[in-house]
Structure formats: structure tokens, C-alpha cells
Amino acid sequence: MLAATCKWFYRLIMEESVWRFACLRDLGVPNPGDVSLKWIKLYASAFDWMRIGAFSLNSPAALLTDSLTYPRNLPQEGTAEKTLQSSGLCVLTNIKTGIWIADLQLVRCPVCDLDTCDGTMQTLDTRHIELFLSKGYQDGSWGYTLVGSHKTRKHVDRACGAVFDLDHIKDSSTAELFAVKSWVGKKDDWHPKTKLTPHAVAVCTNLQDNKGILVKYHVLTAGTDGKIMAIRISQQLL
């Protein structure tokens, strides 16, 4: 009797519907529809370390920016590299839609190797929930490429980076990201702050006196001409 109960319970907890419910509940995102991998594997991949959280990119177009000022005019022409250099924002149009995971990474700034330097490089790291389980990522055949950069050669008050679903940039929930003072903190608070909405994510850190900042934008695609599976926005002081 006990053995039969155990088999029944095992079959129950291995149901796709159970893990789909658990994954969507714990990530706080809506059901994206069909996925190409089992939900139990997606759950394990999504919760393997500490992170900002999850958001949805429902359209294949995303806005990347290093400014949390609402963009009155979106770039219509030119490559991502050119628009990033001139304005610090660009639109990518080949995004893998669905659930995306966002992480904040703080690593030693590569500008110097001085033991006395406590500088760090801030990276907003976002990826599609299926990335870590994809063969191309696991065998190393997919890699990150630099799509552009934006350099400011004067003091900047904050280091920011954000990814927006372009179709939802006018949503009331997305507008919360542009109200920077409500979530970044006081000027003497140097700790990185993050903000997540259903269709966007942002990171922002107040900076001490500096001579400028370099922001780099990397993407990872599924093969040569595949969908964009991951986006990185990194900032380092000059």
C-alpha cells in the first residue's frame, strides 16, 4: 500500500502542470504559453542562485539604455552601435520572447590591478529562461558579442542600465522605473539598487566623484542568425 502511494505521489509531483505552476508562481510572471523544455528543468535553472527576479518580453523588440529618463524619441535608423554611441540607447528587434531572468553582477573593475582600489564594474545580466539549458550555450558554441558602447567623459551622478519591452514602455508599471528618486536612494547611498516591473528591469547606483563612465552592451544569440537569448549592460568608471 505504501509503495503504491509513493508511486502515485511521484507521478503527481512530476506532472508538467505542477512545475509550470511553481515556476510561474515563484518568478511572478504570467504563462508564456508553449516552451521547448520541461518545466522542472526550467525551474531548476531559474533558481540556481540569487538574482533580481524575472520579467516578460512579449514582443521581439527591446529598448536598451543607460539612462532612466523617458526617451521622447526612439532611434528609428542606424545600427545599434551608432545609436548607442550618440545617445546611449538602442532598439534590438530579434529578441527571444518569453520569460527573462535578471541578475546583478559586481566584479573587480579591469582598469587597474591595485590592491588599494575597491572599484567594481556593475553588470546588468539578463537572459531567456531557456538559455542555460540550450545545447549551444552548454557546448560553448554560442558566445557574447559587443553590439555597442557609450562613453561619457565627465562626471556622472549614477551608473544605470535598463532593458524594456518596447511594446510596454508606456505602461503605468514601466513608468515606475523612470521615477528614479523613488527607488535609488539618497545621494550618499552607494549601494546598487534594482527595480523590476512585469516588462522591464533596471539597475542604478549613485556614484562618488568621477571622470566619466564607459557603458558596454553585449548580446548572445542562438547561433549566427538566431534569436537574442541574453543581454548584458556593463558600466565601468574611466
Side-chain angles (χ1 to χ4, degrees):
M1 186 67 177
L2 180 60
T5 302
C6 289
K7 289 181 179 179
W8 172 84
F9 185 71
Y10 178 79
R11 288 196 299 269
L12 176 64
I13 64 171
M14 293 305 292
E15 285 286 337
E16 276 286 272
S17 59
V18 172
W19 288 100
R20 180 181 65 233
F21 172 81
C23 193
L24 299 177
R25 177 200 62 193
D26 293 349
L27 288 175
V29 294
N31 190 346
D34 294 336
V35 294
S36 59
L37 298 166
K38 289 186 176 297
W39 280 102
I40 188 173
K41 293 184 177 181
L42 294 174
Y43 187 94
S45 173
F47 294 97
D48 60 351
W49 55 25
M50 296 297 293
R51 56 179 37 90
I52 299 172
F55 63 107
S56 297
L57 292 179
N58 294 339
S59 72
L63 173 70
L64 281 57
T65 179
D66 58 24
S67 171
L68 293 179
T69 301
Y70 184 83
R72 298 299 178 185
N73 298 302
L74 296 176
Q76 300 296 326
E77 300 180 355
T79 64
E81 182 178 6
K82 290 182 178 179
T83 58
L84 285 170
Q85 288 178 350
S86 61
S87 60
L89 59 83
C90 77
V91 174
L92 300 180
T93 57
N94 195 28
I95 303 292
K96 170 78 170 176
T97 59
I99 299 171
W100 278 61
I101 308 295
D103 297 304
L104 172 62
Q105 298 182 15
L106 297 174
V107 299
R108 183 69 175 270
C109 177
V111 172
C112 70
D113 295 321
L114 298 177
D115 292 334
T116 55
C117 176
D118 60 357
T120 56
M121 183 169 67
Q122 173 178 283
T123 300
L124 173 61
D125 200 340
T126 66
R127 61 176 173 86
H128 192 275
I129 191 172
E130 298 179 5
L131 175 63
F132 285 178
L133 300 175
S134 302
K135 182 179 179 181
Y137 179 85
Q138 293 179 344
D139 65 19
S141 60
W142 299 352
Y144 283 89
T145 57
L146 180 69
V147 295
S149 62
H150 183 222
K151 184 180 290 186
T152 303
R153 297 183 179 275
K154 61 181 181 179
H155 173 82
V156 292
D157 294 327
R158 303 183 181 97
C160 302
V163 178
F164 299 89
D165 186 323
L166 198 58
D167 283 359
H168 292 274
I169 196 166
K170 295 182 179 180
D171 290 3
S172 58
S173 59
T174 302
E176 297 175 10
L177 294 183
F178 298 114
V180 180
K181 292 183 179 180
S182 67
W183 60 273
V184 170
K186 297 180 179 180
K187 291 184 177 181
D188 58 353
D189 183 352
W190 316 119
H191 293 89
K193 300 295 190 297
T194 61
K195 184 74 172 176
L196 194 72
T197 70
H199 301 285
V201 64
V203 58
C204 190
T205 304
N206 291 322
L207 298 177
Q208 302 182 45
D209 290 341
N210 60 80
K211 297 180 180 179
I213 195 170
L214 173 63
V215 184
K216 294 182 179 180
Y217 298 78
H218 291 82
V219 300
L220 183 147
T221 58
T224 305
D225 300 315
K227 299 286 187 180
I228 294 174
M229 299 287 290
I231 299 168
R232 282 179 177 169
I233 304 176
S234 62
Q235 301 104 355
Q236 68 184 65
L237 295 176
L238 300 178

